[in-house]
Amino acid sequence: MLQYYDARRLDKCIKRLSKVRFPNITEPVSVNITWVRIRYNLEGAKYHGVKWHSHNCYEVHIVYQGEMRYQMETGDEFVLQGNDYLLIYPGMIHRLSWVSECAISYSVFFEVSSASDTEKFSFPAGSVKGTAEIFTPLFDLLIMALERNEPDFQWIVRNVISSVILSVSEKGTSKDKDDQENTAVDIRYQSAVQFIGDNAQTNIQSSDVAEFVGLSVRQLNRLFRMYDGISLYRYISQVRCNAAKELLKNRELSISYIAGRLAFSSEYNFIRFFNRMEGMPPGRYREMTGV
């Protein structure tokens, strides 16, 4: 389901995106992200089409909403709709224009390192059109990351862009193509894992994680069961329990202090939690493990 984005909201994201510095991607393919751009053609704020031009890098243009037309100097013409993408080879002269009155697109410009493993990952010559359903949730995740003031938003943006590039690359076998699609889908799961790890010493709830990645708790639960075989709640509990074990290694820290450090409402609730997870209270765990 498409999200609603107005011109004012997109302009703020475009401004913040212009300040993001993208580190080079080295795995599984080595690329240098030159820049990322969001375009839109919405009522009350319309952009004109782009005249004939070319770039000395690869371009992948993705339509989130509406229709756009891309014309090549070679005479080829492509009309892109939602989830369609067009990969353009470096140096190809082309221009674009809006087909529909309401359209949104995003583009990634990148260079491929000569050191890349071209037997597994390559990018075709010429211009190639394709479709991938993952591009809609990737755009929503990109906007969500740009709108938040979370310190790791650049990490999320980088992974979204990495997924876009991997999704349009050519790979040698059908198994590799399946792995590539899974890499793109993993982004929301990976973002959730990162968020949980960064907030393990807070009273983090399933709803907090779901809100952060833009999914419902039920949808995120489905991802965690797919990749870890456990529920989101269980995963959070394990991470917080591991954080408790690390603190227990310092014998100068009292159980009461650790409970407060991990944002439990009381020492009693922390002991109950730890006992449920490990089958013993934290004090006994400290004695038995010799930490």
Side-chain angles (χ1 to χ4, degrees):
M1 183 177 179
L2 296 179
Q3 301 294 318
Y4 172 74
Y5 299 111
D6 57 28
R8 184 177 181 182
R9 185 178 178 186
L10 290 175
D11 281 339
K12 290 182 178 180
C13 291
I14 291 170
K15 183 177 181 180
R16 191 169 194 195
L17 184 61
S18 67
K19 299 178 181 179
V20 176
R21 292 189 177 183
F22 298 100
N24 292 346
I25 298 173
T26 56
E27 293 291 341
V29 58
S30 181
V31 299
N32 175 36
I33 303 171
T34 307
W35 56 304
V36 180
R37 182 169 187 173
I38 298 173
R39 286 191 175 96
Y40 64 83
N41 184 46
L42 301 173
E43 184 178 354
K46 298 182 179 180
Y47 284 171
H48 298 292
V50 179
K51 298 180 180 180
W52 292 106
H53 68 287
S54 66
H55 296 281
N56 294 322
C57 61
Y58 285 95
E59 308 167 47
V60 54
H61 301 275
I62 303 159
V63 172
Y64 175 80
Q65 174 183 322
E67 294 185 13
M68 295 183 67
R69 177 182 290 109
Y70 289 81
Q71 295 171 293
M72 305 294 143
E73 191 183 39
T74 57
D76 294 328
E77 182 174 306
F78 304 91
V79 175
L80 274 60
Q81 300 176 330
N83 281 326
D84 286 346
Y85 71 85
L86 182 66
L87 178 65
I88 301 176
Y89 196 75
M92 292 198 68
I93 299 176
H94 61 283
R95 67 179 180 182
L96 65 91
S97 58
W98 306 100
V99 176
S100 58
E101 291 293 321
C102 184
I104 300 173
S105 71
Y106 63 114
S107 307
V108 179
F109 300 77
F110 62 96
E111 299 169 339
V112 181
S113 169
S114 58
S116 294
D117 187 350
T118 55
E119 291 185 0
K120 290 186 176 181
F121 291 86
S122 63
F123 299 90
S127 50
V128 178
K129 177 184 175 182
T131 302
E133 293 183 1
I134 190 61
F135 288 138
T136 290
L138 281 179
F139 181 77
D140 293 334
L141 187 58
L142 174 64
I143 295 297
M144 180 208 70
L146 291 169
E147 288 182 328
R148 291 174 180 265
N149 291 320
E150 302 291 345
D152 56 353
F153 90 95
Q154 292 196 17
W155 181 88
I156 299 175
V157 171
R158 177 192 179 278
N159 280 276
V160 168
I161 302 310
S162 175
S163 292
V164 168
I165 294 173
L166 291 176
S167 295
V168 301
S169 68
E170 290 185 332
K171 300 175 107 177
T173 65
S174 58
K175 181 179 183 300
D176 285 334
K177 290 182 182 294
D178 292 338
D179 291 341
Q180 174 185 334
E181 186 68 16
N182 289 337
T183 300
V185 174
D186 282 352
I187 290 299
R188 292 170 292 179
Y189 165 78
Q190 292 173 357
S191 299
V193 168
Q194 178 78 16
F195 182 74
I196 294 169
D198 290 344
N199 294 276
Q201 295 191 13
T202 68
N203 187 25
I204 185 173
Q205 303 294 315
S206 297
S207 57
D208 299 326
V209 187
E211 182 182 358
F212 178 75
V213 299
L215 294 174
S216 68
V217 172
R218 183 177 181 181
Q219 290 172 320
L220 195 54
N221 253 320
R222 192 177 300 125
L223 283 179
F224 272 84
R225 290 190 183 281
M226 180 187 304
Y227 295 118
D228 286 307
I230 59 176
S231 68
L232 171 61
Y233 175 80
R234 181 69 181 180
Y235 182 89
I236 294 172
S237 296
Q238 287 182 350
V239 172
R240 281 174 54 73
C241 187
N242 289 337
K245 290 178 182 178
E246 285 298 312
L247 292 173
L248 285 167
K249 291 179 180 179
N250 187 346
R251 287 186 168 272
E252 294 183 359
L253 302 181
S254 67
I255 302 300
S256 177
Y257 174 85
I258 294 174
R261 179 77 175 271
L262 295 175
F264 282 89
S265 59
S266 67
E267 180 180 350
Y268 173 75
N269 284 334
F270 168 62
I271 294 173
R272 284 187 59 192
F273 164 81
F274 196 93
N275 192 52
R276 185 175 71 248
M277 295 296 298
E278 295 297 319
M280 65 183 76
R284 186 179 177 190
Y285 172 86
R286 176 179 265 172
E287 293 174 1
M288 290 186 63
T289 57
V291 298

